[in-house]
């Protein structure tokens, strides 16, 4: 019975990864997952390998430690591009892993582990481990690129970028995972969802039934007040198949986040339309800035 359950869990993981990676068969999906796991394993000591393996579901654990020996040479974390290259080097002639493979697998893996325990362990691992398993913002997306310069990274901006990327990926579960259990989300139209279940229930049909536009954002400010953190950004939306942000969609986004056992989580996310009825020139300037941000593909900290 335990083996059957482990097998079912692994098949579910493979199915999610196959869809997210846009593969049609399981073989390239398996190779990509294995490549990501091996790229991470090379950075861990024997003790750290065993600790990380213990948090994984059984079949992923077996994949993670396959052919491993405690004497395996440990190397440091290179650039995101070099890590992606390592993933793509596994069985190179049969490897179709995209550049954002680590990001995709990381997003799915976090749904299949104990989030709080996973976060606690990452904090004890070498520098670079947490960045590896966060959806790295320096890798490109096909639509509505959301990137952030390495020296502008923070846990709060990581959380914000993860939120935007989940929207752009039309992934209700990944977006909901950014929120605290009792969080509140206030939409552009004033609609309100309270609690994670209500947030996911609101997002899921939107992604299912509508060709949603993709976010591009400019990070304006972050503030820390003890356990509470505040982020403010301006955002615009790029409709599918278009090259310009839709002017009517530009909004001021505010995130209030707090520290939880699972890491930083959003307690309130609010979108407010940038009308600026008394400052049309100011509104036009913000729109132009968002258009430039769209071209560069970066969230700009100011």
């Amino acid at each position: 019975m335990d083996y059957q359950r482990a097998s079912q869990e692994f098949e579910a993981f493979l199915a999610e990864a196959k869809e997210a990676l846009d593969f049609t068969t399981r073989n390239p999906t398996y190779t990509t997952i294995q490549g990501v796991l091996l790229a991470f394993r090379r950075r861990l000591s024997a003790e750290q390998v065993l600790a990380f393996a213990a948090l994984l579901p059984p079949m992923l654990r077996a994949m993670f430690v396959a052919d491993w020996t405690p004497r395996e040479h440990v190397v440091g974390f290179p650039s995101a591009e070099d890590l992606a290259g390592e993933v793509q080097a596994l069985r190179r002639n049969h490897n179709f892993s995209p550049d954002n493979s680590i990001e995709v697998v990381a997003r799915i893996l976090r749904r299949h582990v104990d989030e709080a325990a996973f976060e606690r362990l990452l904090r004890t691992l070498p520098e670079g481990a947490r960045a590896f398993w966060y959806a790295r913002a320096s890798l490109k997306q096909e639509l509505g690129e959301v990137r952030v310069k390495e020296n502008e990274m923070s846990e709060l901006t990581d959380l914000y970028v993860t939120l935007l990327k989940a929207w752009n990926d039309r992934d209700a579960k990944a977006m909901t995972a950014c929120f605290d259990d009792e969080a509140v989300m206030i939409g552009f139209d004033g609609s309100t969802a309270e609690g994670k279940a209500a947030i996911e229930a609101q997002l899921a049909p939107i992604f299912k039934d509508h060709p949603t536009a993709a976010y591009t954002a400019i990070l304006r400010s972050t503030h820390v007040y003890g356990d509470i953190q505040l982020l403010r950004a301006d955002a615009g939306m790029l409709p599918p198949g278009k090259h310009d942000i839709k002017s009517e969609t530009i909004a001021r986004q505010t995130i209030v986040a707090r520290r939880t056992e699972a890491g930083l989580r959003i307690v309130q996310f609010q979108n407010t339309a940038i009308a600026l009825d008394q400052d049309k020139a100011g509104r036009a300037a913000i729109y132009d800035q968002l258009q430039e941000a769209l071209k560069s593909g970066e969230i700009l900290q100011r």
Side-chain angles (χ1 to χ4, degrees), residues 146-193:
V146 185
R147 290 188 295 166
V148 60
K149 296 176 182 177
E150 290 279 337
N151 63 356
E152 294 175 343
M153 292 285 281
S154 72
E155 191 174 0
L156 183 58
T157 54
D158 258 352
L159 181 63
Y160 178 57
V161 170
T162 299
L163 183 81
L164 295 184
K165 290 170 72 63
W167 174 278
N168 290 357
D169 289 341
R170 301 164 61 85
D171 190 331
K173 288 187 180 298
M175 190 168 177
T176 304
C178 297
F179 290 88
D180 188 37
D181 290 342
E182 304 301 323
V184 176
M185 182 177 72
I186 303 173
F188 187 84
D189 61 354
S191 59
T192 300

Side-chain angles (χ1 to χ4, degrees), residues 119-134:
E119 182 68 26
R120 285 195 298 269
L121 177 63
L122 289 182
R123 292 178 184 277
T124 71
L125 298 182
E127 183 177 357
R130 293 184 68 231
F132 186 100
W133 290 112
Y134 276 96

Side-chain angles (χ1 to χ4, degrees), residues 58-92:
M59 302 292 279
L60 289 175
R61 184 185 312 148
M63 186 186 296
F64 182 64
V65 300
D67 300 322
W68 171 75
T69 71
R71 296 181 299 278
E72 192 168 275
H73 180 61
V74 179
V75 296
F77 283 91
S79 68
E81 289 74 16
D82 287 343
L83 283 168
E86 283 189 31
V87 175
Q88 293 163 342
L90 179 66
R91 294 191 286 277
R92 186 179 296 278

Side-chain angles (χ1 to χ4, degrees), residues 105-117:
V105 174
R107 185 168 63 243
I108 297 169
L109 181 66
R110 283 181 169 272
R111 301 179 198 160
H112 291 261
V113 297
D114 182 324
E115 181 78 8

